[in-house]
Amino acid sequence: MRHIGPGPDWSVDAPYTLGMQTPIAPTHSHGETDRMTTPAAPATLPGLRPGVSGVRVRLAPSPTGSVHIGNVKTGMYNWLLARGQARRLGLDGQFLLRIEDTDRNRYVEDAADQLLDILRWFGLEWQEGPDVGGPHAPYVQSERLAIFQERARHLVAEGKAYPCFCSPERLQAVREGQQSRGEPTGYDRHCRDLPAHEADARIAAGEGHVIRFRTPREGETVVNDLVRGPITTANVTLEDSVLLKTDGYPTYHLAHLVDDHLMEITHVIRGAEWIPSAPLHVLLYAAFGWEPPAFIHVPIILAPGGGKLSKRHGATTMAEFRTQGFLPEALMNYLALLGWSFDATTEIFTPEELLEKFSIERLSPSPATFDYDKLRWFNQHYINHILTLDDLTGRVAPFLAAAGMIDAEAARTDHPQHALLREATALLKDRLETLADAPEHLGPFLVEALPDYDSALLVPKKTEPSAARAGLESTLALLPELDLEDEAAAETRLRALAEELGLKTGQLFMAIRVAATGRTQSPGLFGTLRVIGKDRLQARFADAIARLGTIADATA
RNA sequence: GGCGCAUUCGUCUAGCGGCCUAGGACACCGCCCUCUCAAGGCGGAGAUCAGGGGUUCGAAUCCCCUAUGCGCUACCA
């Protein structure tokens, strides 16, 4: 029987080393711990420092375009930790949103607004952020430049960072020289030991420069990742990274770290692409004299063929998944399982259930391949089995309205088209994989007149056109006295009709199906007839009969 | 090249030294239901647990090496 350790030991045993903490062990989801003799251990959260009463996590995207699915997944885990796991343990849990717009070259004008919009659509709610404010405002880094510059100056004053005057051209030349000699590339620390008076003079003269971190050249740094365990890196392999750029903007390394500290972030769940720079961050925290947060690096999402997920494979941004008709709940369920599991068999987790079940202990360190087929299955499952009919009706409506099939207001229950929309949705929902499939499937049930279709479809296999026509004429004649609301009765009547005409039920039913919908595939015939209704059926049958008049029987 | 991370059915995963002749799900195949197509139900095939060494009475589970994949190696995040 293994237990989660008594909690991380945060004692610092080396200047540049985080206190050792054992990687978290998963809890057993069943078994002996429930015995009455076992005193209930106080619930603890891995990575939480003693004395800290709550969890504060963040999602810190940069507004450089549309949000990638991977960023959202990472943000979701943060959200689930704060709003789910932490709160279940009776802790305060705050999830915040911070915009990291420190790259002026990649900045995209409306990206931040779109970001908030799509994150809200997805279902993430933040307690502090650029739109809602909070105790640590502003939550946009470009509005916090003075803070970062002050911190950088502070490090320089303490000798833990230094100004570097090397031009991009020199840096490139250095790199090329290293490459041609087969050496590891990297900054050669040319300005690391400039005399202070010289550096000051050049700055005073207005010479452009960056601020670099004076990385220790000896020892090693340990990053304690909560799911991976300790990751040790020799300091010699680390670079003197740029902290502050020539334009006065901070790099990610400086900005995120200062803000995480100021905003009292307790857990940093971020993409695995940050593992290589995590030692730098640990060193930076030490240089500032700050306690670092707990780290969890979650794997990046792989593309079906290997490599990273790109346009070539399908949707990659949140916005694309939305327009393709995916439900945020289904997307969240699928994404959650791409690197996390609850047990051996449970796979359906609504957002509420995720908040109840999610725990960082069960996060996986290995990368997962994105499977569009499985996502579609989840989406279909939510459409068909999880959403209520009224909910689904409301979600399908915008897609149908965009296709011009219903009025934009038809989702309102007092709208004249609403009843039909709802009935059609009920009838067709089991074949919708995405909301975007709705126009294709519901079309025949919503429009007045059918779009043109292949008249040959009206003649079922092994059936003469004349027989199909006779069947439809009889059905049309029978229509006024049929009670379509009583599906069983209508079925009995039409089965009898088939027998009278000497047709197999399949033959008659198929002819009717095509006449009613223009297709050979539809929901059950009698539900189909009921929803389309007598008026439209009358017109469609008449049209079908006219079409059949132009098709001659095969002369045997 | 250097540094790092990862490695159980095609894919997502369960597995924490004996419950594993490896469980579940997607996809695939078959059957059932049936007026078509879906949905649903039932069943099947599919992983010698990357390979090789150890440790142990016993290893998918612990250790080491190798291989492969991925990431980082920017005044991008």
Side-chain angles (χ1 to χ4, degrees), chain A residues 186-199:
Chain A
Y187 176 57
D188 61 0
R189 300 182 176 81
H190 184 255
C191 300
R192 180 170 167 126
D193 297 312
L194 281 183
H197 65 269
E198 181 186 337

Side-chain angles (χ1 to χ4, degrees), chain A residues 10 25 64 116 189 237 242 358 383 545 550:
Chain A
W10 284 93
T64 55
L116 303 210
R189 300 182 176 81
T237 65
V242 172
F358 177 83
I383 288 175
I545 291 165
T550 66

